[in-house]
Amino acid sequence: MRDLLHDIIQDYSGFVELRYHGKVFRSVTAEKGRIERTAIRRRSGVGVRVLEAGTWGFASTGDPSPAAIRGAIEEARRAAQASASYRKHKLGSLPQVQLARGEFSEPGVDEVLNKPLEEKIQLALETEAQTRQASRQISSASCTYNEIYEEKAIVTSDGADVAFRLVRPEFRVQAVAAASGQLSSGSESIGVTGGWDCLFREEPLRMAEKAASTAVDLLSAGYAEGGWGTVILSPSIVGLLVHEAIGHTVEADFVLSGSVAAGKLGQRVASEWVTLRDSGHSEFAPGAGGTIPVDDEGIPTQNTTLIQDGILVSYLHNRETAAHFGVEPTGNARAWEYADEPLIRMRNTYIQPGSQALEEIIASTADGYFLDGARNGQADSTGEFMFGVERAYRIRQGKLAELVRGVTITGNAFDVLRSVDAVSQDFLWDLGSGHCGKGQPAKVDAGGPYIRCRAILGGQQS
């Protein structure tokens, strides 16, 4: 397909971008001792962008024939010409950058694809049964295995000529416990870019035990006291914070729309303990779920420093916003499927680990909470956020104490990062399962060390 795109693009003047994108989705869910859902879905085609009269035109086709691709190019050109007069700020030439050439394959592709579907089904059934049977208080359980295989070829008229393939498996276990009319839940999940061993760095049985134990333990847990408090955040909550409440605010298209990060380059936005990065590679630990060798504009991915020692130093860019700001693109243009236009999206976002042991940070905390296990929440372009917490432990006189339930953490993400006064030497990717939404889904990851900071805690009242 790469050779075909290369041959076609030779016949056109001006800027043309051709992107072949094939995806195969597989999913298996086990509940109540049986397979509840199985699905296999295939999507493939070619997305076309042209830059004409200072604006973009986009079209796509599910037919990979030369005639259909040429038809999509003409359709994209007509779209650009029709909309050009309505664009206030015309886009000139794109920045000259190093463009990717060659073929890449992320680890684990053959290992995952060659494993029989029956083996994946059996694993889901066994893990669901182990979760359900872990305690008499477990009322229901589920186990889901998902897998996305992708192959892409990207050719542009100014020199990108690249193909790559990767696979992203994920595994999720959920348990619900019941007693005296109360329900509580626990979950464990992991999603990676890589092979089977990378996915199961923790045994499925151990994931089942932890999900069931969390659900059962929360039944008898009390509730947290609300208000400002000192908290130690686990890598899962650090990841959710830096992705949802920080990362989106520094995507350059959001910056141009007026996000809280607009105009703050060179300013202090966090404590000196905080260095925040977004990388196309899996830093510190293998298998980060947002790993890509090349973005969907043909730009090789890199490790982009966003906050250095508390100072905001960069935004995340595609080629268009890089031209606007006079910088190089950062390799963050991503499209979910062939029929989607590339948008600025994060990849693997994290806080740089520090030098302290977690035990030292806990021991030096006289009063506070240890928060672990991110649940869903919300954040906006002002940096305001509210996240749920699965497991929260009271810290008293430097020691972990009782488990509490129903905890939320709220605040302004930049204020929270300004309050950071301890960063552990640990590191974990912990947001690789599920998707990020921004008009279209994206597979991302986020994580980091344990950090100590100040935030507003909320909890239900019994």
Side-chain angles (χ1 to χ4, degrees), residues 52-57 77-91:
E52 184 124 343
T55 195
W56 293 108
R77 280 195 158 157
R78 288 193 296 270
Q81 291 163 358
S83 62
S85 61
Y86 298 98
R87 178 167 181 143
K88 183 177 180 181
H89 301 291
K90 302 292 186 182
L91 177 60

Side-chain angles (χ1 to χ4, degrees), residues 328-386:
E328 291 190 0
T330 55
N332 286 85
R334 303 181 63 188
W336 176 241
E337 292 185 350
Y338 75 89
D340 295 313
E341 291 188 69
L343 303 175
I344 299 175
R345 309 300 297 269
M346 283 169 276
R347 302 155 307 184
N348 304 309
T349 313
Y350 66 97
I351 286 181
Q352 183 89 359
S355 59
Q356 296 175 273
L358 173 60
E359 294 76 13
E360 295 174 1
I361 298 174
I362 294 173
S364 62
T365 305
D367 182 67
Y369 290 87
F370 179 86
L371 307 183
D372 186 25
R375 287 189 168 173
N376 290 337
Q378 58 187 19
D380 60 29
S381 61
T382 68
E384 300 291 334
F385 71 92
M386 182 178 71

Side-chain angles (χ1 to χ4, degrees), residues 133-170:
Q133 296 163 9
S135 169
R136 286 178 293 180
Q137 292 178 297
I138 298 297
S139 60
S140 66
S142 67
C143 177
T144 296
Y145 171 82
N146 293 323
E147 175 187 301
I148 301 175
Y149 167 69
E150 296 187 68
E151 54 185 21
K152 292 186 180 183
I154 302 161
V155 178
T156 66
S157 55
D158 63 346
D161 189 350
V162 63
F164 67 88
R165 62 181 195 146
L166 54 79
V167 67
R168 305 192 201 274
E170 64 178 54

Side-chain angles (χ1 to χ4, degrees), residues 24 31 163 177 243 374 428 447 461:
V24 181
E31 295 177 0
H243 174 89
L428 182 66
Q461 297 301 312

Side-chain angles (χ1 to χ4, degrees), residues 57-122:
F58 178 80
S60 65
T61 175
D63 178 356
S65 69
I69 297 170
R70 292 179 187 278
I73 294 173
E74 295 306 321
E75 186 178 351
R77 280 195 158 157
R78 288 193 296 270
Q81 291 163 358
S83 62
S85 61
Y86 298 98
R87 178 167 181 143
K88 183 177 180 181
H89 301 291
K90 302 292 186 182
L91 177 60
S93 60
L94 297 173
Q96 295 298 311
V97 294
Q98 178 186 356
L99 294 164
R101 300 180 65 86
E103 296 192 2
F104 303 88
S105 183
E106 292 296 318
V109 173
D110 294 333
E111 179 187 6
V112 172
L113 296 185
N114 292 336
K115 194 166 289 288
L117 179 60
E118 292 76 14
E119 189 172 334
K120 298 166 184 176
I121 290 174
Q122 189 60 35

Side-chain angles (χ1 to χ4, degrees), residues 248-263:
H248 283 302
T249 71
V250 295
E251 292 171 333
D253 51 351
F254 278 0
V255 172
L256 291 172
S257 297
S259 84
V260 68

Side-chain angles (χ1 to χ4, degrees), residues 123-298:
L123 178 62
L125 283 168
E126 291 175 356
T127 305
E128 187 274 336
Q130 291 165 342
T131 309
R132 186 165 27 87
Q133 296 163 9
S135 169
R136 286 178 293 180
Q137 292 178 297
I138 298 297
S139 60
S140 66
S142 67
C143 177
T144 296
Y145 171 82
N146 293 323
E147 175 187 301
I148 301 175
Y149 167 69
E150 296 187 68
E151 54 185 21
K152 292 186 180 183
I154 302 161
V155 178
T156 66
S157 55
D158 63 346
D161 189 350
V162 63
F164 67 88
R165 62 181 195 146
L166 54 79
V167 67
R168 305 192 201 274
E170 64 178 54
F171 197 71
R172 183 184 301 271
V173 184
Q174 294 182 296
V176 176
S180 304
Q182 286 205 76
L183 296 175
S184 60
S185 64
S187 65
E188 293 292 323
S189 63
I190 183 172
V192 302
T193 305
W196 205 252
D197 290 341
C198 184
L199 178 66
F200 293 113
R201 59 192 181 210
E202 186 169 51
E203 290 292 325
L205 174 58
R206 179 59 182 148
M207 295 177 68
E209 291 172 344
K210 287 173 68 175
S213 176
T214 295
V216 170
D217 291 347
L218 286 172
L219 284 173
S220 57
Y223 294 89
E225 301 169 9
W228 279 97
T230 298
V231 294
I232 298 174
L233 306 183
S234 72
S236 63
I237 299 179
V238 170
L240 189 62
L241 178 71
V242 298
H243 174 89
E244 292 289 354
I246 299 290
H248 283 302
T249 71
V250 295
E251 292 171 333
D253 51 351
F254 278 0
V255 172
L256 291 172
S257 297
S259 84
V260 68
K264 288 188 168 57
L265 288 178
Q267 297 183 22
R268 178 166 296 282
V269 295
S271 84
E272 65 273 15
W273 293 84
V274 175
T275 292
L276 173 63
R277 294 190 169 103
D278 179 81
S279 180
H281 310 290
S282 188
E283 312 289 348
F284 297 103
T291 300
I292 49 173
V294 178
D295 81 352
D296 287 332
E297 294 182 323

